[in-house]
Amino acid sequence: MSTILIKNGTVVTLGQNNRVIHDGAVLIENTKIKQIGNSPDFTGTYDKTIDAKNKVVLPGFINAHMHFYSTMVRGLGKIEPAVDFADVLKKLWWKLDRQLILDDCYYSALIPLIDAIKKGTTTLIDHHASPFAVTGSLDKIASAVKQTGLRASLCYEVSDRDGNDIADEGIRENITFIEKCNAQNDDQFKALFGLHASFTLSDKTLRKAVDAARGLNTGFHIHVAEAASDQEHALKHFNMRVVERLHNAGILGPKTIAAHCVHIDENERSILKDTDTSVVHNPQSNINNAVGVADIIAMQKKGIRVGLGTDAMTVNMLEELRQALWIHHLAQNNPSVGFMEVMNTLTVNNARIARKYWDNGIGELKEGHAADIILMEYYPPTPFNENTFLGHLGFGLSQSIVDTTMVDGKILMENRKLDIGIDEADIAVESSKLAAKLWERF
Ligand SMILES: [Zn+2]
């Protein structure tokens, strides 16, 4: 048995009954939180003690929609300007993902995973595409996840854009990885069934995906009405809206993640609510692609579970949170709107989404829950308590530095020094060499 005591910190539990404990302590026994309380009450001997003075102790953050593979596009110059979102896909992402080889998949995952440790993001729900290197791609990414010690849910993005054979290969890649995860029952890895989006999926492929996933206790991870063109396509070709189509096909449900939902109507919100489907908001990506602003206020009023993702714009969940705060003010021309709805996405709903797959309590510090914990240096300039915490999170803590990151009771970074047995600089050199070759193929 190994024990770690984090003491003298300001413990913030998050969860639906968020508590702030000054001079707080968290005792970790092996992989789990054994006890939370006031520092003076912990008088035993422990294998390791971490002094969290002037630090806020929080559960690690969860990123509910991510694409590791986008890493190697950073700095790529020779991209024709896109006129709209469909053009962004054609001129950038679909050109890029067709060129990815398995080694690119590995390094492009390792880089943001290392960064996630530094930003305090301990669980990532990824969505992967490499249509000419499908088979084995999820294992490659899983090996990167394994090396970093973080948690991830992986899936392969099935679409018809590269023909039947590649769509079928994508279905097989999902099934292989889902079955492996089910057999291993390892809390480091979970699997979903990845689908690209309504406008790149035929009815036949949707049917095949639903048939293949049957009985595997999984859900789908799919982009939904990210741009208006997804709706136009569904109406033109299927005479129904995107969410209606996915519902009819059997895609929605409590384990399914519908990313974006920028262009959905009231009836579609009702379907998402009735099917208990999770929605993930990605404001930075939506701003960047100029596709619009998802009405997460209306969605939450309806009772939909709306979480926060980054769509690969960053692994820093607090940066994403801040963008979400501002964009709803601008979109609704109202500087007071949406604060609680935005805050809920990260501090409450991402944990609720994660618990559809993990049953170890991630996202909330509580006795018996997995010890996924971060420490952030912070000197509150105003009273810091349960009533003021969200203001501190949005306007102060979000500007602070993550000092220590732990997953399952294992320290991955302490005092800002990575402790995962790999050299970040070496990994970046290797990634850069591969990216240069990838850019030549682009
Ligand atoms: Zn995405």
Side-chain angles (χ1 to χ4, degrees):
M1 187 180 77
S2 97
T3 52
I4 301 175
L5 182 71
I6 301 170
K7 67 172 188 179
N8 306 329
T10 303
V11 176
V12 179
T13 63
L14 296 191
Q16 250 142 0
N17 299 306
N18 183 32
R19 284 188 298 152
V20 174
I21 307 162
H22 292 284
D23 196 12
V26 180
L27 175 61
I28 296 133
E29 197 177 277
N30 298 329
T31 62
K32 289 188 168 30
I33 297 170
K34 172 86 175 164
Q35 198 183 340
I36 298 174
N38 300 107
S39 295
D41 298 336
F42 291 79
T43 54
T45 50
Y46 310 99
D47 296 321
K48 183 179 172 69
T49 300
I50 296 173
D51 184 4
K53 188 167 165 48
N54 297 321
K55 286 168 193 166
V56 177
V57 183
L58 285 156
F61 294 115
I62 296 160
N63 184 349
H65 181 69
M66 175 66 187
H67 301 279
F68 293 138
Y69 73 85
S70 76
T71 303
M72 288 191 178
V73 87
R74 204 179 295 173
L76 174 62
K78 53 180 181 185
I79 310 163
E80 280 179 79
V83 296
D84 58 24
F85 177 62
D87 215 26
V88 172
L89 294 177
K90 275 189 213 118
K91 287 178 175 158
L92 174 59
W93 298 113
W94 293 353
K95 267 181 88 174
L96 175 91
D97 65 22
R98 285 188 180 113
Q99 299 302 334
L100 291 170
I101 58 171
L102 288 179
D103 276 349
D104 297 333
C105 300
Y106 170 76
Y107 280 97
S108 64
L110 204 46
I111 299 280
L113 284 160
I114 292 170
D115 201 25
I117 296 172
K118 292 159 77 176
K119 301 299 192 299
T121 301
T122 49
T123 299
L124 301 103
I125 302 180
D126 193 68
H127 195 274
H128 174 69
S130 51
F132 290 88
V134 177
T135 302
S137 58
L138 297 183
D139 274 347
K140 275 281 179 190
I141 297 169
S143 67
V145 174
K146 188 112 200 151
Q147 274 188 283
T148 60
L150 295 168
R151 295 184 203 278
S153 165
L154 307 182
C155 72
Y156 186 84
E157 172 187 298
V158 173
S159 92
D160 285 309
R161 64 190 158 91
D162 295 299
N164 277 335
D165 290 350
I166 290 176
D168 287 345
E169 195 183 355
I171 290 171
R172 282 196 303 276
E173 180 68 2
N174 278 304
I175 295 305
T176 303
F177 195 74
I178 292 166
E179 285 178 340
K180 195 179 284 183
C181 285
N182 285 350
Q184 285 173 347
N185 196 22
D186 175 351
D187 268 346
Q188 189 169 17
F189 297 103
K190 297 291 167 188
L192 280 167
F193 195 118
L195 296 169
H196 177 246
S198 171
F199 69 99
T200 63
L201 288 158
S202 65
D203 282 342
K204 189 176 149 205
T205 301
L206 279 180
R207 247 192 326 272
K208 277 190 196 171
V210 170
D211 287 345
R214 195 163 286 130
L216 292 177
N217 189 28
T218 191
F220 295 91
H221 187 177
I222 180 168
H223 298 103
V224 174
E226 179 173 357
S229 51
D230 197 13
Q231 288 291 7
E232 287 155 15
H233 183 275
L235 286 165
K236 184 175 166 197
H237 294 273
F238 308 103
N239 197 29
M240 60 184 108
R241 293 180 66 87
V242 171
V243 174
E244 293 166 341
R245 179 173 183 234
L246 297 178
H247 181 42
N248 290 347
I251 300 296
L252 304 181
K255 289 198 165 186
T256 288
I257 290 177
H260 300 293
C261 293
V262 176
H263 297 274
I264 59 170
D265 66 13
E266 182 60 18
N267 181 50
E268 290 175 294
R269 284 195 283 271
S270 296
I271 295 170
L272 291 167
K273 165 66 186 155
D274 293 345
T275 54
D276 195 25
T277 303
S278 299
V279 170
V280 175
H281 184 39
N282 304 273
Q284 291 203 81
S285 163
N286 298 157
I287 297 165
N288 184 47
N289 288 325
V291 293
V293 182
D295 192 349
I296 63 160
I297 299 167
M299 289 184 218
Q300 289 185 67
K301 199 175 281 174
K302 194 93 190 164
I304 298 170
R305 187 170 51 252
V306 182
L308 190 68
T310 65
D311 210 13
M313 295 291 287
T314 177
V315 287
N316 184 339
M317 296 313 295
L318 295 175
E319 179 191 322
E320 193 73 33
L321 182 82
R322 279 166 67 88
Q323 304 299 317
L325 284 172
W326 324 144
I327 192 62
H328 295 284
H329 293 181
L330 189 64
Q332 302 214 11
N333 195 24
N334 179 348
S336 310
V337 78
F339 181 79
M340 284 313 295
E341 288 87 347
V342 168
M343 286 294 171
N344 268 336
T345 61
L346 182 65
T347 62
V348 179
N349 289 346
N350 273 8
R352 292 173 62 213
I353 292 172
R355 280 177 213 161
K356 297 291 173 195
Y357 321 107
W358 280 271
D359 59 3
N360 56 0
I362 53 175
E364 181 181 0
L365 301 184
K366 195 174 174 182
E367 282 87 355
H369 284 191
D372 291 14
I373 301 173
I374 63 169
L375 272 58
M376 296 184 78
E377 189 176 286
Y378 188 55
Y379 302 85
T382 56
F384 189 102
N385 54 47
E386 285 88 351
N387 297 325
T388 63
F389 170 70
L390 293 178
H392 282 277
L393 185 68
F395 294 88
L397 257 178
S398 52
Q399 308 301 295
S400 298
I401 289 169
V402 176
D403 173 274
T404 296
T405 300
M406 174 192 290
V407 172
D408 243 358
K410 188 171 183 304
I411 294 169
L412 308 181
M413 179 177 76
E414 188 173 10
N415 298 324
R416 298 184 212 166
K417 281 208 173 59
L418 286 171
D419 187 13
I420 51 173
I422 45 179
D423 187 319
E424 185 182 11
D426 291 349
I427 299 296
V429 168
E430 283 308 310
S431 169
S432 191
K433 281 186 204 159
L434 281 166
K437 288 185 194 160
L438 172 66
W439 291 6
E440 276 170 29
R441 301 193 296 273
F442 189 85

